[in-house]
Each structure stands twice: as structure tokens, then as C-alpha cells.
Amino acid sequence: MSAVSLVLLLLAHEPSAGAAANVPAVMSTPTATATTATTSTTTATTATPPTTSDRLPAGDYLLSLDLHLKTAIPVMGAAHARARTVSTLVIDDAGMATQKNCWVDTTGPGYRVEATRRALAAMPVQRYRLVVDGERVSADPGPLRFGDKDDDNDGDVGVAMDLVIDALGRFTVQVQSDGRSRLVGARTPTGAAGTVLVLYSKQKIVSGLPIVVDGQADVESARFTLERAAKAGCP
């Protein structure tokens, strides 16, 4: 019961505006300017090519988001959870980034939630501008919404996530997600690093579990790293 309750909590929490957080994935991941909930649609803004000093070198990168949460459920008390997202990021000569999720998971006491391959393929590709001002690096990937319909074509509304509960095994739940976050950081020798700011985040399980438990989740820390990749594609 404890593991299932925490999973429901993590997929339903709504951080306050401006809180530091990740999107995820099970938290919505992390997250394009005017994207839709279909894999075939990517809406991008146009951009004037920046000067060499105002952009990161073009090429393939890996973007990692790491979110730490403190959860509280009535009667059950406090616990901690961690949400992670790994994505490919391709930066072009104009400083525009194209992002695609490779891995999304959330772990907590006695459970783990992982995005299935089908779910990852269904999540929208995001395209947005990486803004570089001296040593400062920032980005607003825009809204990310998916799961309102059967986006992963498995016959159920939502996108499929694998829920693994210790001693009970693996289950499949269907998830809907709607969120938006921003990246604020600084250059590093291999790319950039900094903080993830969540503007809003709403997720819920639409099928796969028979119970609902109310509670809350607060973000303790949320960080991102952007590093040059040894090769194109997911690791």
C-alpha cells in the first residue's frame, strides 16, 4: 500500500508556481515552445543565428534532470523520492535545440516507475532556443502535454508507465501529464549546468490502479546538466 500511495502522489502533485523542480517524467519531462501531445507535431520558434560567443557549440548533447522530492501522506508520514530524466539534445548552428526523451523514472521507498519504450516514443519532440549571455545559459522549452488520448497506441488512453513494487512485481499504469519548466544555469567545460524551475506541473494516473490517496509533494532540489555526447542518439 505504501509504494502505490507514493506513486499516486508523485503523479498528481502540483508544485507552486516558480518552485525549483523537474518535469518529469513520470514528471513531465523534462519539457517546447508550443508542442502538442502527438509525436508527429513539433512547433518551434524562429531565431536569428547568434554570434559564436553567444551560443554553445553545435552538436549532440545529453540533458539530464535530477529532481528530489519530499512527500507527505496522511497517516503514513514523510518520505523522499527522486525523479530523473535523460534526453538527447541536438544544437544547431543557430543555437536552436531539439530535445527527445531517452529515459524517465521516479524511485521512492519500495517502488520505481519507469516510462516504457512506447511511452518515450509518444512524448513530443521539443524544439527551443538556448539563450547564452556570457557565462549564463537559459532555456524555456515551453509547455509539454501528453496522454490526453491513446498517444502510444496501446489501446488505452494515456501513456504507459511500468510500476515496479518490491515483493509484488511489475504493473502497467496509464498516465496523463501537463507541465512547463525553465532551465537557468551557467557554462561548463562540457556544456552547461544549473537549476530547473517548474512553472506548473500536473500529472495523474488514468487507469491501472484501483485506489487514490491524497497527499502533497514539495521539491527539495532540482538540477540539470548538459554535456557533449560521444555519439548521436540515446546512450
Side-chain angles (χ1 to χ4, degrees), residues 68-127:
H68 291 262
L69 299 172
K70 182 179 180 180
T71 63
I73 299 175
V75 180
M76 298 171 59
H80 296 269
R82 182 184 185 187
R84 299 177 301 166
T85 302
V86 176
S87 309
T88 60
L89 201 73
V90 180
I91 301 176
D92 64 19
D93 290 333
M96 296 295 291
T98 301
Q99 179 181 334
K100 180 62 179 174
N101 288 332
C102 295
W103 179 265
V104 176
D105 73 5
T106 299
T107 57
Y111 76 91
R112 184 173 72 257
V113 181
E114 301 171 354
T116 65
R117 290 184 180 181
R118 190 185 290 267
L120 291 169
M123 293 178 187
V125 173
Q126 300 175 264
R127 184 165 169 79

Side-chain angles (χ1 to χ4, degrees), residues 23 29-35 43-46 63 89 95-99 125-132 136-144 179-185 195-200 224:
V23 180
T29 89
T31 233
T33 300
T35 57
T43 304
T45 58
T46 58
L63 175 65
L89 201 73
M96 296 295 291
T98 301
Q99 179 181 334
V125 173
Q126 300 175 264
R127 184 165 169 79
Y128 52 90
R129 171 76 180 274
L130 274 175
V131 179
V132 180
R136 179 183 172 87
V137 178
S138 62
D140 181 358
L144 180 67
R180 184 171 186 173
S181 62
R182 292 176 178 168
L183 308 179
V184 179
T195 300
V196 185
L197 303 177
V198 161
L199 303 183
Y200 62 88
F224 80 88

Side-chain angles (χ1 to χ4, degrees), residues 9-214:
L9 174 60
L10 291 175
L11 293 177
H13 88 284
E14 299 182 28
S16 58
N22 170 37
V23 180
V26 184
M27 314 301 296
S28 189
T29 89
T31 233
T33 300
T35 57
T36 69
T38 62
T39 56
S40 60
T41 303
T42 303
T43 304
T45 58
T46 58
T48 301
T51 64
T52 302
S53 61
D54 289 334
R55 63 176 173 82
L56 296 179
D60 296 294
Y61 291 77
L62 286 177
L63 175 65
S64 299
L65 306 180
D66 193 355
L67 171 69
H68 291 262
L69 299 172
K70 182 179 180 180
T71 63
I73 299 175
V75 180
M76 298 171 59
H80 296 269
R82 182 184 185 187
R84 299 177 301 166
T85 302
V86 176
S87 309
T88 60
L89 201 73
V90 180
I91 301 176
D92 64 19
D93 290 333
M96 296 295 291
T98 301
Q99 179 181 334
K100 180 62 179 174
N101 288 332
C102 295
W103 179 265
V104 176
D105 73 5
T106 299
T107 57
Y111 76 91
R112 184 173 72 257
V113 181
E114 301 171 354
T116 65
R117 290 184 180 181
R118 190 185 290 267
L120 291 169
M123 293 178 187
V125 173
Q126 300 175 264
R127 184 165 169 79
Y128 52 90
R129 171 76 180 274
L130 274 175
V131 179
V132 180
D133 182 8
E135 294 300 306
R136 179 183 172 87
V137 178
S138 62
D140 181 358
L144 180 67
R145 185 184 182 101
F146 57 84
D148 290 333
K149 55 184 180 179
D150 183 14
D151 292 330
D152 53 3
N153 298 313
D154 64 355
D156 295 305
V157 174
V159 296
M161 302 282 180
D162 283 339
L163 165 60
V164 182
I165 303 176
D166 291 355
L168 293 180
R170 182 180 296 266
F171 307 86
T172 299
V173 295
Q174 301 292 330
V175 175
Q176 292 176 339
S177 180
D178 182 19
R180 184 171 186 173
S181 62
R182 292 176 178 168
L183 308 179
V184 179
R187 286 180 183 260
T188 67
T190 57
T195 300
V196 185
L197 303 177
V198 161
L199 303 183
Y200 62 88
S201 178
K202 300 179 181 180
Q203 292 85 26
K204 66 178 180 179
I205 293 175
V206 294
S207 65
L209 290 178
I211 62 173
V212 175
V213 177
D214 294 326

